[in-house]
Amino acid sequence: MVKFKRIALFAIAILFSVLLFACNNSSTTDDPTSNELSMRVTDEYIQWRIGEGQWNNLIRLDQLMGADGKGVQEVVINDNNELIIKYTDGSEVTLGNVKGSKGDKGDKGVGIKDIEINENGELVITLEDDTVIPLGRIVGQDGKDGREVEFRVENGYIEWRYKGEETWTQLIPLSEITGPAGQDGQDGQDGREVEFRVNAGYLQWRYIGEDDDAWDNLFALDDLAGEDGEDGLDGLSAYELYKLHNPDYNKSEEEWLSDLVNGRLADVETVTITFVTYDGATPFTMDVIKGQTADLPVPNRPGFEFLGWYSSPTPSPVEGRFTNFIPVVRDITLYGKWYLIPLEGIVLDVYELELEEDETYQVIVTPTPEGALLPDLIWESSDPTVATVDETGYITAVKAGVTTITVRDENNEFVETLVLTVVDNTNPEFISAEPAEGEIVIKYGESFKFIVTAFDKNLYELEIDHSLEDILPEFSVYADEDNPYGSLEDKVKFESYGVTVTYDADTQTWTIDFGAEITANFFLAAQQVRFFIVIHDIYGNTWGTMSGTTPENTFVYDFISYADYVLRAIKSAEDYEAMRDAIFLTEEISADFADLLDTFNELPEDGSAQQAILQLLIDYDALLEFDTIDEVYDVLELAINYETSKYSLIEEVNAAHSADDVNEALLLWTYLVNEYNEEVIALGLYPELEDSDFTLAISELWDLIDMELFDKVERVAEKLFNYREELYNGAYADEEEFAEALLTAMYDLDDPLLVSVTPAEGLITIKDDSFKLVIVANDKTLYELEVDHSLQGILPEFSVYASVDNPYGSEEARDQFLAYGVIVTYDADTQTWTIDFGMDVTRMFIEAGTVTFYFVLVDEQGYTWGSMYTPTPDNTFVYEFEDYYVKALNAIKSAETTNGMLNALNTYQDAVNISEEAWDLFNELPDPSDYRTNVLHHII
């Protein structure tokens, strides 16, 4: 260690010689000798200075000697750019300032010619001008070897590495190794850079670029040895020592060396630059390391050219321009200097422009010259009814025409104009025609009204033609509220036909009332009329055409009288709603129809009885067809009487006060209703009655009665009574509800069935997974699985449900399950619950040893399988739990022979977790052999 420290200190001395050599090469004055490096040994120090400057202590001579066992703790560069070495005994050495400001290039610097240790153990440096600098005795006592360091100058850097390694690490750029600032001098030739290597037991150097035979021996490595000292710490480098005393430092050794050389291991002093861009602007700041230059920002100011930063608001010979090359050594305020770019004129991006109505355009104004500041501009339109322009030059075309857009400054010094033409190339837009195409029902005395809505800023004319050629003339109406006929003469012609026309300018809507006479005599007689329309604006733009009309401008109407409309509606009705609407149209035909409809309305609205009546009318017309309204009356009366009698069954069930009353009603009426349904179906008037819900429900209920399954009939009666109260607000509203309830009641009359429980009862060995119970059930309306167990006071009993989305029953219950680590899933297809008890609960089972489960199944009807009050062997399941690893341990511990131990290890190899490599090694031992026996005996 001592030997390494001497090598490191000597390398530092060589390094500083190189640093000072570089300082001489980069610093010049008018006097070639004024910045020369001088070194001396005095007062037990190696000292140095530049020119006639102050002498600086480089290092004490006794610090170059190998003290017994003392190592370097930390090497730092302080705020004054001085190199400090701190030792493990608490002492430290200041090696002087190692970094100064860069001077200008001048006469050729003085380089190092030779560095050697003479026979007295003194370090001697010889410069190129033959100046000899003795640095005193540096040979100390021997210590233990440390890692040797070698240096070189390469690629503008001083680089280092440990001897024997491949990678060179950049230590410091030569550009940062500069001496004090010098005065301006004449340009001279740059100093030559040197490089080093260790070769043949010597540290060698040469100027970069010289031949291979130019390498000179600097000193022999053997000369670095001193007398033997006491043992120090073995082989710790300076980086390792620094890490030893600074354990929080987490950078690599290369990063540490960079931090060391650049002073980052100590606090860095910074100064602040305050930038004032211009009067009124908000200043901003930049922090830089004291003594370094700054990358000054280049601000932008519209209308001005930036000239630079100055140290005074008013530039003077003393306080002048500040650049990126000037080091910042104190807090400073810099002021921006600007040149106002004078405006010579303005230019528009366009001088002639054509827009369509409602189109917009943003005029762009640019200054001349580029970069000058535009003044406030005033925009004007010579005709705002044609186009408007806002204060930014944003043009909006209003209507067709020509206008001039002018832009100027307030002094009229700069004026430009553009000619804008607004055109109307847009065709009118068709909005709607009413009524919608299709059938028009005309009652006595009514007239047909044709309503057309369009859109155009310059709307002018609606041209109308129709399919009644030679009966009515084609005509035009106009976008004029005062006279939409076009002229007084045309108005008289319209009125002579009984036609009235109005126009609404706000909505651009024409209403053409054709009158009762034309409606009855022409439209009803023709049955179908086609209208063709064309819309014009004042500029000749059109929508539609009379030459080659299209579906878009053609409107077809079918006219029918009310009497024919009602009969046709009844004959064409194919569903309940259509037939209902159709029969209620008959109210205006006669009082007899009105009376029948009153009776129809006494049945529950939208109930099964009303629907059956409507269906009978539909089916009758499909089979026999209605020829007259009287025939419609007869069939309607028959259907109403039939459904009223069938509805009596539902009414008696609704009037029941108990399930027994419902049961009596079912036994009394089911046979009669079933027989009546069969008779009606046989007549062929109800082709769908055979498959209706009501017929199906009555038929299945009769089957139960016929087979004397009276216990199930009682269950049906009880459900019907409960459904009536719980689901149907106390009464079945119609046949459909009654049939739905009856089918639901008969859907599931059986108790749930337990299909299987997995795993089977018995011993359960828990290895690496939790215990899972899989319960499979069967029921049409499966609802709940109740689970109880023998771990009372440890785990609560619980229920899970036949729900894929949430088998826990609620979000609160889910949270409680998950708090125990229990996960439940349900498969609706197989009616299977999987209960994964998780590892926490499984460990409870293992600790208990034996756990008994009790299961009860419940369906939506309330029917159950099993009981918690009187459990039976069928719903009781007993499991014994053991830990696989405990079992393995007991098997191994119980082995008393080598064969028994071998069998136990083989059986429970995965529990013991013997590595594959170890097991392979064991199996490679001869069998039988004392080696394998010894291994097994050791385990026993």
Side-chain angles (χ1 to χ4, degrees):
M1 176 66 191
V2 175
K3 181 178 180 182
F4 165 71
K5 189 180 73 174
R6 287 199 299 270
I7 294 173
L9 292 178
F10 183 61
I12 292 173
I14 295 174
L15 171 62
F16 273 94
S17 299
V18 176
L19 297 182
L20 296 175
F21 165 68
C23 291
N24 282 335
N25 278 345
S26 61
S27 177
T28 63
T29 65
D30 291 336
D31 183 0
T33 63
S34 62
N35 274 339
E36 287 184 350
L37 169 68
S38 301
M39 303 186 72
R40 71 182 183 183
V41 177
T42 183
D43 296 329
E44 299 181 343
Y45 278 87
I46 299 176
Q47 296 182 332
W48 66 276
R49 70 177 180 182
I50 301 296
E52 296 300 317
Q54 179 180 353
W55 284 99
N56 301 285
N57 292 333
L58 180 60
I59 188 169
R60 288 175 57 91
L61 294 178
D62 57 4
Q63 295 299 318
L64 297 177
M65 300 178 63
D68 293 341
K70 182 171 70 174
V72 177
Q73 174 181 325
E74 186 178 15
V75 182
V76 299
I77 297 177
N78 65 14
D79 293 342
N80 298 322
N81 293 320
E82 297 173 323
L83 183 67
I84 307 297
I85 301 177
K86 297 182 180 180
Y87 296 100
T88 56
D89 63 355
S91 61
E92 64 179 44
V93 175
T94 301
L95 299 184
N97 190 287
V98 300
K99 185 176 180 182
S101 302
K102 183 176 181 180
D104 294 330
K105 185 166 60 176
D107 291 339
K108 177 179 180 181
V110 179
I112 296 176
K113 181 177 181 181
D114 191 18
I115 300 176
E116 63 178 357
I117 300 175
N118 63 19
E119 64 274 6
N120 297 321
E122 297 174 329
L123 176 65
V124 178
I125 298 177
T126 303
L127 305 180
E128 287 185 331
D129 60 358
D130 293 329
T131 300
V132 177
I133 303 174
L135 299 183
R137 182 178 177 83
I138 64 169
V139 178
Q141 298 176 347
D142 289 339
K144 286 189 176 181
D145 291 341
R147 296 182 68 185
E148 297 186 35
V149 181
E150 52 186 345
F151 299 88
R152 74 178 185 185
V153 177
E154 187 77 18
N155 301 321
Y157 280 83
I158 295 177
E159 298 180 336
W160 73 278
R161 69 178 179 186
Y162 288 118
K163 186 174 181 180
E165 291 186 350
E166 296 182 359
T167 305
W168 286 93
T169 302
Q170 293 178 344
L171 184 60
I172 187 171
L174 295 178
S175 60
E176 294 187 9
I177 308 174
T178 57
Q183 299 179 354
D184 294 341
Q186 297 179 353
D187 292 342
Q189 184 178 355
D190 292 340
R192 301 177 65 185
E193 296 184 44
V194 296
E195 56 183 338
F196 299 89
R197 74 177 183 184
V198 175
N199 185 44
Y202 283 89
L203 175 65
Q204 298 178 334
W205 73 278
R206 70 174 179 183
Y207 289 116
I208 292 178
E210 291 185 335
D211 297 334
D212 289 341
D213 57 2
W215 286 100
D216 290 328
N217 293 335
L218 190 58
F219 57 81
L221 298 181
D222 293 341
D223 292 338
L224 297 178
E227 298 178 359
D228 292 340
E230 295 182 1
D231 291 345
L233 295 175
D234 290 341
L236 291 181
S237 66
Y239 168 71
E240 293 169 332
L241 288 170
Y242 183 83
K243 288 278 289 182
L244 181 66
H245 294 281
N246 297 273
D248 292 336
Y249 188 83
N250 56 10
K251 295 185 180 180
S252 67
E253 189 166 4
E254 290 77 7
E255 292 173 319
W256 173 78
L257 281 171
S258 176
D259 290 346
L260 168 65
V261 173
N262 291 282
R264 289 191 291 268
L265 295 179
D267 294 335
V268 177
E269 182 178 358
T270 62
V271 294
T272 301
I273 304 175
T274 300
F275 297 93
V276 179
T277 310
Y278 53 86
D279 291 342
T282 302
F284 60 94
T285 61
M286 174 191 293
D287 291 336
V288 298
I289 298 175
K290 184 177 181 180
Q292 293 190 3
T293 60
D295 189 6
L296 302 180
V298 179
N300 180 49
R301 184 180 179 188
F304 291 83
E305 179 183 346
F306 183 63
L307 299 180
W309 294 105
Y310 288 78
S311 56
S312 172
T314 305
S316 66
V318 177
E319 301 275 356
R321 184 173 181 182
F322 205 92
T323 69
N324 293 352
F325 305 103
I326 299 177
V328 185
V329 297
R330 57 180 173 81
D331 292 344
I332 189 172
T333 299
L334 299 180
Y335 302 87
K337 183 176 180 181
W338 303 88
Y339 168 71
L340 177 64
I341 303 173
L343 179 66
E344 299 176 2
I346 60 176
V347 178
L348 306 184
D349 64 326
V350 61
Y351 286 89
E352 291 185 1
L353 183 62
E354 182 178 291
L355 299 177
E356 293 188 4
E357 291 180 342
D358 296 326
E359 191 176 0
T360 61
Y361 186 83
Q362 176 66 61
V363 182
I364 305 300
V365 181
T366 55
T368 303
E370 183 179 357
L373 191 64
L374 285 172
D376 292 336
L377 299 176
I378 301 171
W379 294 83
E380 296 173 342
S381 172
S382 63
D383 189 347
T385 65
V386 174
T388 61
V389 62
D390 68 7
E391 66 275 6
T392 68
Y394 188 75
I395 297 174
T396 301
V398 178
K399 70 174 185 178
V402 179
T403 184
T404 299
I405 304 299
T406 302
V407 57
R408 60 181 175 84
D409 66 321
E410 61 182 4
N411 298 322
N412 290 327
E413 182 178 357
F414 306 104
V415 180
E416 294 292 336
T417 62
L418 70 88
V419 177
L420 172 63
T421 302
V422 179
V423 297
D424 182 359
N425 294 329
T426 304
N427 292 327
E429 181 180 354
F430 168 75
I431 302 300
S432 66
E434 299 175 24
E437 291 185 86
E439 187 171 75
I440 306 298
V441 178
I442 302 296
K443 293 183 179 180
Y444 180 77
E446 288 184 343
S447 63
F448 176 66
K449 299 178 181 64
F450 190 46
I451 302 171
V452 178
T453 302
F455 175 77
D456 193 275
K457 285 191 173 183
N458 305 301
L459 190 61
Y460 174 63
E461 178 187 6
L462 171 63
E463 185 181 353
I464 299 179
D465 198 358
H466 47 74
S467 58
L468 301 181
E469 297 179 2
D470 301 328
I471 298 176
L472 288 175
E474 63 181 81
F475 59 91
S476 289
V477 292
Y478 299 89
D480 185 346
E481 286 186 332
D482 296 332
N483 188 6
Y485 306 96
S487 67
L488 293 177
E489 181 181 357
D490 289 332
K491 181 179 180 182
V492 172
K493 292 181 181 179
F494 275 87
E495 292 176 346
S496 68
Y497 283 97
V499 178
T500 302
V501 182
T502 60
Y503 176 74
D504 186 330
D506 293 334
T507 61
Q508 294 188 307
T509 299
W510 288 279
T511 300
I512 305 168
D513 185 342
F514 285 96
E517 185 176 351
I518 290 181
T519 301
N521 295 334
F522 298 127
F523 296 164
L524 276 175
Q527 294 187 351
Q528 186 182 86
V529 179
R530 296 176 180 268
F531 293 95
F532 312 100
I533 67 172
V534 175
I535 303 171
H536 302 272
D537 68 9
I538 60 176
Y539 294 103
N541 301 308
T542 64
W543 177 88
T545 177
M546 293 299 183
S547 301
T549 57
T550 64
E552 285 75 16
N553 76 327
T554 301
F555 301 87
V556 182
Y557 298 96
D558 295 314
F559 294 91
I560 185 173
S561 67
Y562 183 73
D564 292 337
Y565 170 74
V566 173
L567 180 59
R568 192 193 63 189
I570 294 175
K571 289 174 62 63
S572 62
E574 296 180 353
D575 55 36
Y576 301 139
E577 294 301 325
M579 184 57 75
R580 181 189 301 275
D581 294 340
I583 66 171
F584 274 97
L585 293 175
T586 64
E587 284 184 306
E588 299 183 19
I589 296 177
S590 69
D592 291 338
F593 269 110
D595 292 340
L596 277 180
L597 293 177
D598 288 340
T599 305
F600 179 85
N601 285 330
E602 291 175 0
L603 295 171
E605 184 178 358
D606 295 330
S608 59
Q610 287 191 357
Q611 290 186 1
I613 292 169
L614 299 173
Q615 187 65 49
L616 178 59
L617 296 174
I618 294 171
D619 294 342
Y620 185 93
D621 185 68
L623 291 174
L624 305 174
E625 295 187 0
F626 291 112
D627 294 326
T628 65
I629 290 295
D630 291 338
E631 190 175 353
V632 172
Y633 178 86
D634 294 338
V635 175
L636 181 60
E637 182 182 35
L638 173 63
I640 290 175
N641 291 335
Y642 161 55
E643 291 301 327
T644 301
S645 62
K646 187 168 60 175
Y647 180 67
S648 298
L649 169 62
I650 302 172
E651 283 294 284
E652 188 165 333
V653 172
N654 285 336
H657 297 289
S658 66
D660 290 339
D661 292 342
V662 174
N663 187 56
E664 290 180 7
L666 295 179
L667 294 175
L668 176 63
W669 286 98
T670 302
Y671 172 74
L672 297 176
V673 173
N674 185 62
E675 289 294 324
Y676 192 64
N677 277 349
E678 292 178 353
E679 291 177 9
V680 172
I681 293 171
L683 294 175
L685 294 179
Y686 278 135
E688 295 181 3
L689 182 60
E690 185 174 2
D691 297 326
S692 68
D693 288 343
F694 185 81
T695 300
L696 178 62
I698 293 297
S699 176
E700 290 186 1
L701 181 59
W702 170 247
D703 289 341
L704 294 178
I705 297 172
D706 189 43
M707 290 185 291
E708 298 183 356
L709 300 174
F710 298 117
D711 58 333
K712 292 192 175 182
V713 176
E714 289 176 358
R715 284 189 172 187
V716 172
E718 184 178 3
K719 288 183 180 181
L720 286 177
F721 184 76
N722 292 333
Y723 290 167
R724 192 190 73 186
E725 301 299 324
E726 297 172 1
L727 304 177
Y728 296 98
N729 297 320
Y732 296 107
D734 53 26
E735 177 187 332
E736 181 180 353
E737 286 188 0
F738 181 76
E740 179 184 3
L742 187 55
L743 287 174
T744 302
M746 292 186 295
Y747 177 69
D748 185 4
L749 298 174
D750 299 317
D751 294 333
L753 175 66
L754 180 69
V755 177
S756 65
V757 176
T758 307
E761 294 182 87
L763 181 63
I764 304 297
T765 301
I766 302 298
K767 186 180 179 184
D768 297 318
D769 200 1
S770 56
F771 178 61
K772 298 178 181 65
L773 266 179
V774 181
I775 298 95
V776 182
N778 178 260
D779 193 85
K780 288 183 179 180
T781 58
L782 188 62
Y783 175 66
E784 180 184 7
L785 169 66
E786 296 179 11
V787 181
D788 199 0
H789 48 73
S790 60
L791 298 184
Q792 296 182 0
I794 300 175
L795 288 175
E797 62 182 82
F798 60 90
S799 290
V800 293
Y801 299 88
S803 170
V804 174
D805 295 332
N806 189 359
Y808 306 95
S810 67
E811 292 301 323
E812 181 180 0
R814 181 199 299 268
D815 294 340
Q816 293 175 351
F817 275 83
L818 296 181
Y820 279 96
V822 179
I823 298 175
V824 182
T825 59
Y826 178 74
D827 186 330
D829 293 334
T830 60
Q831 294 189 304
T832 300
W833 286 281
T834 300
I835 305 173
D836 185 339
F837 284 95
M839 290 308 301
D840 290 342
V841 175
T842 301
R843 292 188 188 96
M844 295 181 187
F845 295 165
I846 296 173
E847 184 176 350
T850 299
V851 179
T852 302
F853 291 95
Y854 311 95
F855 301 130
V856 172
L857 294 172
V858 184
D859 68 9
E860 293 177 0
Q861 320 303 322
Y863 307 140
T864 64
W865 175 90
S867 172
M868 292 298 183
Y869 302 102
T870 57
T872 66
D874 290 338
N875 76 324
T876 303
F877 296 84
V878 181
Y879 297 93
E880 294 181 17
F881 292 90
E882 66 175 359
D883 186 292
Y884 177 78
Y885 296 97
V886 173
K887 180 179 181 180
L889 179 60
N890 291 335
I892 293 172
K893 291 174 64 177
S894 63
E896 297 179 352
T897 65
T898 56
N899 286 335
M901 180 59 68
L902 182 59
N903 290 334
L905 292 177
N906 271 315
T907 302
Y908 298 104
Q909 180 181 352
D910 55 343
V912 179
N913 198 20
I914 301 174
S915 68
E916 185 176 346
E917 293 81 1
W919 195 250
D920 290 342
L921 289 173
F922 177 80
N923 288 326
E924 289 175 3
L925 296 174
D927 185 21
S929 71
D930 291 340
Y931 299 106
R932 299 187 70 171
T933 302
N934 288 339
V935 171
L936 297 173
H937 272 302
H938 278 301
I939 298 175
I940 295 173

